[in-house]
Amino acid sequence: MILELDCGNSFIKWRVIHVHDAMIVGGGIVDSDQTLMDQIRALACVQVTACRIVSVRSEEETDALTSLIAQVFAVQAQVARSAPEMAGVRNGYEDYQRLGMDRWLATLGAFHLAKGACLVIDLGTAAKADFVAANGEHLGGYICPGMPLMRSQLRTHTRRIRYDDASAERALVSLAPGRSTVEAVERGCVLMLQGFVRTQVEQAREMWGEDFAVFLTGGDAPLVKDSLPDARVVPDLVFVGLAMACPLN
């Protein structure tokens, strides 16, 4: 079985799949390497025979995780790396190695699924958008704070903004003007996120008309999917690209 890891700035998304049919055996989201090991070992009848990783963490953090995997499961993890070109997509950065691996793999996965021009919107800790032309040329993209960062900054720098996660969730039952601080903050952040997304779609239309696909991924994709009814929500888009970058037999 193959262990796949998407190591973000805040969390590690993981899943275990069968080698031959890619059927998902188990998965989850954790906040530490040790919790990851514990959850994988808790899966019944799972024997990890290979591992592939995409990481936006430091080299030291990534190396520590690969060493732990080798120690626990006796496998050498493959770590995805940027490339000037892969799977028909040409990296659009002047220095291709500076393009974040999560963005690079998401563009690979989206272009593979779209078979043409596509806009990739990833809404996690940061909100990211990438444009890929029909010929596979990555045209670049945008990065701005996502919901967690916007919320954190307001809580950190505004003394009177204090509320818990349960209150935040209740505040999002509507996007009407907030009648409490938690409603005002949460709904305001969502509207900013939706504005970011709409702007990307408008730019894509200016370039390609209606001949492009929109992909939504990331933990906060549900917050904007109603405003983009034609978008394809692919929670594991990075894993699609990871399998292309690190093929395992």
Side-chain angles (χ1 to χ4, degrees):
M1 294 181 182
I2 300 173
L3 170 62
E4 297 183 323
L5 303 178
D6 177 3
C7 303
N9 293 301
S10 303
F11 300 100
I12 300 172
K13 185 176 183 179
W14 68 276
R15 70 180 191 179
V16 175
I17 63 173
H18 283 296
V19 174
H20 300 296
D21 58 10
M23 185 178 73
I24 299 173
V25 178
I29 298 175
V30 296
D31 59 3
S32 72
D33 294 358
Q34 190 55 56
T35 303
L36 172 67
M37 297 299 108
D38 294 341
Q39 289 196 6
I40 297 170
R41 286 184 292 193
L43 289 175
C45 303
V46 167
Q47 182 177 1
V48 174
T49 57
C51 175
R52 51 193 171 210
I53 298 174
V54 53
S55 176
V56 298
R57 299 183 170 189
S58 69
E59 289 289 339
E60 292 77 14
E61 290 173 308
T62 303
D63 288 346
L65 178 56
T66 58
S67 296
L68 182 59
I69 290 168
Q71 175 185 337
V72 173
F73 300 112
V75 298
Q76 184 62 48
Q78 288 192 31
V79 180
R81 304 293 182 188
S82 291
E85 184 171 352
M86 183 179 292
V89 179
R90 289 182 296 283
N91 195 311
Y93 263 31
E94 295 177 359
D95 179 356
Y96 74 88
Q97 293 179 317
R98 300 293 294 176
L99 177 62
M101 283 305 304
D102 53 343
R103 293 173 60 199
W104 175 236
L105 295 186
T107 61
L108 295 183
F111 187 73
H112 170 74
L113 296 174
K115 304 296 191 293
C118 54
L119 167 62
V120 185
I121 299 174
D122 185 349
L123 303 178
T125 302
K128 294 159 285 189
D130 283 281
F131 298 78
V132 184
N135 64 359
E137 186 74 28
H138 172 236
L139 303 178
Y142 299 93
I143 305 173
C144 73
M147 280 289 290
L149 284 177
M150 286 191 284
R151 182 186 294 124
S152 174
Q153 286 300 299
L154 284 168
R155 286 177 170 176
T156 300
H157 296 288
T158 308
R159 291 184 179 181
R160 291 184 178 273
I161 294 180
R162 296 289 185 272
Y163 55 84
D164 56 27
D165 291 340
S167 299
E169 185 174 347
R170 289 194 298 270
L172 293 178
V173 297
S174 165
L175 291 181
R179 297 174 65 88
S180 66
T181 299
V182 61
E183 289 179 354
V185 170
E186 291 296 314
R187 295 174 189 181
C189 289
V190 170
L191 291 177
M192 289 189 70
L193 206 61
Q194 291 182 347
F196 172 80
V197 169
R198 283 194 297 269
T199 299
Q200 312 313 311
V201 174
E202 289 169 4
Q203 290 208 39
R205 285 187 177 132
E206 289 176 3
M207 290 188 289
W208 303 317
E210 297 296 329
D211 191 17
F212 66 96
V214 179
F215 291 88
L216 279 176
T217 191
D220 285 326
L223 296 177
V224 304
K225 67 178 182 180
D226 289 343
S227 60
L228 293 175
D230 296 329
R232 297 176 62 177
V233 180
V234 186
D236 293 331
L237 187 58
V238 168
F239 284 142
V240 176
L242 179 60
M244 300 165 68
C246 299
L248 297 169
N249 298 322

